Amino acid sequence: MVVLRRLSPPFTHTRSCIAALSLICLSALGWPALAQPDNALQAADPATPASAVAPLALPATGATAPQERPADIARAREIWQRANERVAEFPRGHADLLRWEARNPGDAAPAAEGNSARPEPLDVAQALRLSLRLRPDLFTHADMNALDQAAVQVAYAGHVRDVQRAWVDAVSARQSWRHASELWDATRTGSELGRRMVVAGNWSQAKLMREQLTEASAWQVSVNAQGTALAAQERLAQLLGLWDAQAVARLGERLPASLPAPPPRAAPGAGLSETTLEAAVLRADPLLNLQRTEAQRELNAVSASRRQTWAAAVDAALVAMPDPGTASTPPHIGNLSLLRDHPLERATRAEASLLRAASERRSMARQAWAELQARHASALHAQNVVAQLQAALEQETVLRYNGMLQSSWDLLASARERMQSLDAALQARRDYWRAHADWQALLNGAGYAGPDTASNAGAGTTTTPAGH
């Protein structure tokens, strides 16, 4: 089931049902109940005991000092023989040896890694319900007029979009952090292998330092990815009203391991087609519907001939207007009888304002739909083409390595490239779900601000040099 489904407005249920459901969700997640009357007072009170903020688990930095070489030939031969004997114990040579030693500091045999049970993931529907407890302004009331209800509907659709995008960003950022950590681990393996080869006398210091630079760049990418993940998690925590450090940390544990895969094809929605998109977006805007009713009433109060006279005066003023390159003078109407006709003035203003709003709304529909299609195509391409090709290339490199046709460096470089392609596919998937949230918000009455510059690129955040 795709979690980013359209959500029915919560105000269709009773307030007591909403409160009960939110309390159940909070209890299941192990978070403090927001329904406590003094919860906000505790959060805002500097005297409230706060949980200790856990320090960042930063990866260890690599060594920068040049590797000391053996002083004599006999010592060098001894080191070289011992290193090759250790490598011969593993079928894939250096790469297997380094990975085994990283997992097994002692001499014990490698142990199978157990899969720790993950807590129940927090989906976007639960996140939305939790966030609405902080937004009483997004609930409609029985005594609201049509204009107030329309304003709440538009604001609610925008809030749903914000929660969906924050959830998508938090999930994808944590996954990207894992990719960056794995990439750093691969570069660390290459750096350690180079260090041993320098000790054995098979490699130069210059080659080792290039591997160390690659490792240093990967370390920085991993740290940046961790910062991005924590920032996205904090943004989601703000929308949910989580203020305790431990509760925010548990939020990260509740997020799913990955985003759902995009659907096979980009669809505008149930009962919608390319020819009915604009109409659906127009109908979804309650403020525009009220504006259209008001403009119709104002236009009906003025005769058609009077409006034609005004249109002729406008055309004449536009023709007489000086060229913009010679003077900055606005068009001018001198017919006082037209200017003092207040019903005509209200009708023309209402008509012009409605035309601007309708044009903007139709443009939003075209832009959002085009963006959704482009992001969907990019996500499928990265997932089904680029990532698959990179996986096949890595497998071919492994086969050639096992056949002693390629070196350990080719194997490590192939692994790094595949991790980068996986992260690029993740970013493309994230961009699709953000575009999907924008499209759903537009269909529910919110506006469309356009894609963010950072997320529109659809490229991974990993920029580690390829190395050897």
Side-chain angles (χ1 to χ4, degrees), residues 271-347:
L272 295 180
S273 64
E274 284 77 2
T275 58
T276 60
L277 292 179
E278 295 182 23
V281 172
L282 291 176
R283 284 193 299 267
D285 190 347
L287 295 175
L288 182 63
N289 295 332
L290 294 176
Q291 187 178 1
R292 184 173 65 250
T293 301
E294 178 66 21
Q296 184 65 59
R297 182 167 55 249
E298 296 293 349
L299 290 173
N300 291 340
V302 179
S303 64
S305 60
R306 195 64 172 165
R307 290 164 54 193
Q308 290 177 357
T309 303
W310 171 261
V314 170
D315 292 340
L318 294 176
V319 171
M321 185 178 65
D323 185 83
T326 59
S328 180
T329 304
H332 176 72
I333 296 177
N335 190 333
L336 294 180
S337 63
L338 290 176
L339 299 177
R340 292 171 181 173
D341 189 340
H342 298 300
L344 176 61
E345 179 186 8
R346 290 194 298 268

Side-chain angles (χ1 to χ4, degrees), residues 418-434:
R418 182 170 182 269
M419 292 172 195
Q420 290 173 336
S421 69
L422 288 176
D423 194 66
L426 165 65
Q427 304 307 321
R429 180 178 294 188
R430 178 202 64 176
D431 291 341
Y432 165 74
W433 285 118
R434 289 172 63 92

Side-chain angles (χ1 to χ4, degrees), residues 87-171:
V87 169
E89 298 174 4
F90 295 84
R92 295 206 309 169
H94 294 87
D96 282 345
L97 172 62
L98 294 176
R99 290 193 179 96
W100 182 86
E101 288 182 346
R103 293 192 301 266
N104 303 270
D107 295 330
E113 296 180 1
N115 294 327
S116 58
R118 287 179 56 85
E120 182 181 356
L122 171 73
D123 62 22
V124 72
Q126 290 176 313
L128 176 62
R129 292 187 177 96
L130 295 173
S131 70
L132 287 172
R133 296 199 62 84
L134 280 71
R135 297 298 304 271
D137 56 307
L138 298 181
F139 288 71
T140 57
H141 307 289
D143 57 347
M144 277 186 172
N145 57 38
L147 182 60
D148 291 339
Q149 288 186 358
V152 170
Q153 173 62 39
V154 172
Y156 170 74
H159 177 74
V160 173
R161 176 194 59 209
D162 293 341
V163 171
Q164 288 180 341
R165 298 187 91 182
W167 183 90
V168 168
D169 289 346
V171 174

Side-chain angles (χ1 to χ4, degrees), residues 2-196:
V2 177
V3 296
L4 290 176
R5 59 186 182 275
R6 289 187 62 182
L7 302 170
S8 59
F11 47 76
T12 58
H13 307 285
T14 62
R15 296 183 187 178
S16 60
C17 291
I18 296 175
L21 181 59
S22 298
L23 286 174
I24 293 173
C25 294
L26 285 166
S27 177
L29 294 174
W31 295 337
L34 295 176
Q36 296 177 356
D38 58 347
N39 185 63
L41 297 177
Q42 292 178 357
D45 188 356
T48 300
S51 303
V53 179
L56 294 182
L58 298 176
T61 57
T64 58
Q67 183 62 45
E68 183 179 358
R69 296 188 176 187
D72 55 81
I73 297 179
R75 177 60 178 165
R77 183 180 294 109
E78 179 185 354
I79 294 175
W80 181 84
Q81 290 177 345
R82 186 169 62 252
N84 281 275
E85 288 173 358
R86 294 292 308 280
V87 169
E89 298 174 4
F90 295 84
R92 295 206 309 169
H94 294 87
D96 282 345
L97 172 62
L98 294 176
R99 290 193 179 96
W100 182 86
E101 288 182 346
R103 293 192 301 266
N104 303 270
D107 295 330
E113 296 180 1
N115 294 327
S116 58
R118 287 179 56 85
E120 182 181 356
L122 171 73
D123 62 22
V124 72
Q126 290 176 313
L128 176 62
R129 292 187 177 96
L130 295 173
S131 70
L132 287 172
R133 296 199 62 84
L134 280 71
R135 297 298 304 271
D137 56 307
L138 298 181
F139 288 71
T140 57
H141 307 289
D143 57 347
M144 277 186 172
N145 57 38
L147 182 60
D148 291 339
Q149 288 186 358
V152 170
Q153 173 62 39
V154 172
Y156 170 74
H159 177 74
V160 173
R161 176 194 59 209
D162 293 341
V163 171
Q164 288 180 341
R165 298 187 91 182
W167 183 90
V168 168
D169 289 346
V171 174
S172 62
R174 285 181 65 85
Q175 190 175 0
S176 182
W177 177 18
R178 290 193 294 271
H179 290 165
S181 299
E182 293 172 0
L183 180 65
W184 169 77
D185 186 64
T187 60
R188 188 167 58 95
T189 300
S191 180
E192 175 62 16
L193 178 58
R195 186 190 68 80
R196 297 187 182 193

Side-chain angles (χ1 to χ4, degrees), residues 343-383:
L344 176 61
E345 179 186 8
R346 290 194 298 268
T348 55
R349 289 183 179 274
E351 182 182 24
S353 178
L354 179 62
L355 181 57
R356 290 197 305 270
S359 300
E360 181 181 10
R361 195 74 181 166
R362 288 178 180 271
S363 177
M364 288 180 179
R366 294 189 294 269
Q367 292 182 65
W369 174 238
E371 180 67 16
L372 181 63
Q373 293 178 90
R375 295 304 111 213
H376 180 267
S378 296
L380 289 186
H381 179 75
Q383 170 184 291

